[in-house]
Amino acid sequence: METWYYEVVSIDGDYANLKRTDIESDDLKLVARALLPPEIMEGSRLKYELMQYEIMA
């Protein structure tokens, strides 16, 4: 089981751009907001594990 960490860089309509924070990378991942917790906002930190995103406290 792998766990990845992201930060919400921007929100554009029904999609959000996520940036990995657990590794050095400038790449952004475009993810449908339907797959993300509804309360996300720019700057939210997320954990992706077992095919689910959750907001980190």
Side-chain angles (χ1 to χ4, degrees):
M1 169 178 71
E2 291 193 48
T3 303
W4 295 297
Y5 296 93
Y6 294 95
E7 180 179 344
V8 179
V9 174
S10 63
I11 297 173
D12 184 20
D14 291 335
Y15 295 90
N17 285 299
L18 308 181
K19 182 177 188 233
R20 290 273 303 262
T21 59
D22 55 325
I23 61 169
E24 280 294 320
S25 175
D26 290 330
D27 296 334
L28 296 178
K29 179 178 183 177
L30 187 64
V31 178
R33 289 188 62 192
L35 300 174
L36 301 170
E39 62 272 11
I40 66 159
M41 60 181 72
E42 290 182 8
S44 294
R45 295 182 324 148
L46 304 172
K47 178 173 82 169
Y48 178 75
E49 187 174 54
L50 298 174
M51 298 176 59
Q52 292 186 343
Y53 292 92
E54 65 181 64
I55 293 181
M56 295 179 48

